[in-house]
Amino acid sequence: MRVIAKHVPMRSIKKSDFAELVKYITDEQGKTERLGHVRVTNCEANTLPAVMAEVMATQHGNTRSEADKTYHLLVSFRAGEKPDAETLRAIEDRICAGLGFAEHQRVSAVHHDTDNLHIHIAINKIHPTRNTIHEPYRAYRALADLCATLERDYGLERDNHETRQRVSENRANDMERHAGVESLVGWIRPRCVRRRGSEDQQFNLLIVRTKLSCFTY
């Protein structure tokens, strides 16, 4: 089994929205096979609407940072491989801790709608008690090291994560194959258009910028 972990950035004129991201990753989209286990970590609330409100309140508590306060992490596995629930939880916990997010609020959802089982993880970059923002240092290198360690510890098939990070075209291929940016943009677009109406042209610009940024480091 091979583990691939990617940060999905939203470098655009509009910063990512934690609530919208959670709605996307927990939306079955009319496919019974799409959504697996949904997990909430480090939150006191026990329903998704309440969890989103709790996290948004935490983010609003930090008024100093103008950076994106939401971190979208994607963890995927080789086609046909289906780790059990305990293994998925352990891998999620170790990757998030390795990035410095062990104490941060997050919502994760397992997806089965592609050949590659994958986990979308929405993480609040604002610490729930200190109200400070955390940005992982050289995340691409940290993720490569974490995946290599997990493959070793679990006796999994090894992958050359360093090479995968250096070759930019693999970024695009992985994002498309492992439930990438196109599906996220497609899900957000009709919701934003309904709300913004005449600002549709501006949203088209947002989509173009998002696509370009998500396939670069």
Side-chain angles (χ1 to χ4, degrees):
M1 183 169 66
R2 184 182 68 187
V3 182
I4 300 173
K6 301 280 189 182
H7 171 217
V8 183
M10 291 290 285
R11 302 188 189 99
S12 65
I13 57 175
K14 177 183 177 182
K15 294 181 173 63
S16 58
D17 183 305
F18 186 88
E20 288 297 322
L21 178 57
V22 170
K23 290 175 185 177
Y24 163 71
I25 68 175
T26 60
D27 186 357
E28 293 184 349
Q29 297 185 3
K31 305 174 184 177
T32 56
E33 75 281 2
R34 169 180 162 84
L35 186 61
H37 181 68
V38 175
R39 181 187 182 198
V40 176
T41 304
N42 295 326
C43 291
E44 296 181 2
N46 53 20
T47 66
L48 280 180
V51 166
M52 290 185 285
E54 180 181 336
V55 171
M56 297 299 287
T58 301
Q59 292 186 339
H60 291 154
N62 179 300
T63 58
R64 298 181 60 184
S65 176
E66 296 182 358
D68 195 342
K69 298 177 182 179
T70 299
Y71 198 90
H72 182 187
L73 184 63
L74 179 64
V75 181
S76 61
F77 302 86
R78 185 182 292 275
E81 294 179 338
K82 300 184 183 300
D84 59 38
E86 182 177 355
T87 300
L88 291 177
R89 286 194 297 270
I91 288 174
E92 176 189 332
D93 288 345
R94 290 182 62 175
I95 290 177
C96 290
L99 291 175
F101 289 125
E103 298 178 350
H104 288 238
Q105 300 157 317
R106 68 178 188 263
V107 176
S108 61
V110 178
H111 284 193
H112 303 279
D113 57 341
T114 69
D115 292 337
N116 303 80
L117 182 147
H118 52 280
I119 313 170
H120 284 277
I121 310 172
I123 305 172
N124 180 13
K125 290 165 64 175
I126 305 300
H127 192 278
T129 57
R130 295 194 294 268
N131 282 338
T132 53
I133 190 167
H134 173 66
E135 186 66 54
Y137 176 68
R138 300 186 70 181
Y140 69 92
R141 178 65 63 85
L143 288 171
D145 292 344
L146 285 165
C147 288
T149 300
L150 288 167
E151 288 166 349
R152 183 192 65 224
D153 291 351
Y154 284 90
L156 311 177
E157 181 177 346
R158 303 294 292 274
D159 186 35
N160 190 342
H161 295 282
E162 195 63 29
T163 299
R164 182 175 296 277
Q165 293 293 344
R166 290 198 302 266
V167 182
S168 62
E169 67 179 12
N170 282 338
R171 174 81 179 195
N173 291 338
D174 286 341
M175 289 299 100
E176 287 296 319
R177 188 166 60 252
H178 306 304
V181 175
E182 285 289 348
S183 59
L184 176 57
V185 171
W187 185 87
I188 291 176
R189 181 185 174 85
R191 289 160 176 78
C192 290
V193 169
R194 284 198 299 269
R195 286 200 307 233
R196 299 176 65 172
S198 62
E199 299 181 34
D200 185 44
Q201 185 176 2
Q202 294 181 21
F203 186 74
N204 287 334
L205 176 61
L206 166 61
I207 290 176
V208 171
R209 292 186 180 180
T210 299
K211 287 181 180 178
L212 291 176
S213 66
C214 285
F215 297 123
T216 59
Y217 283 98

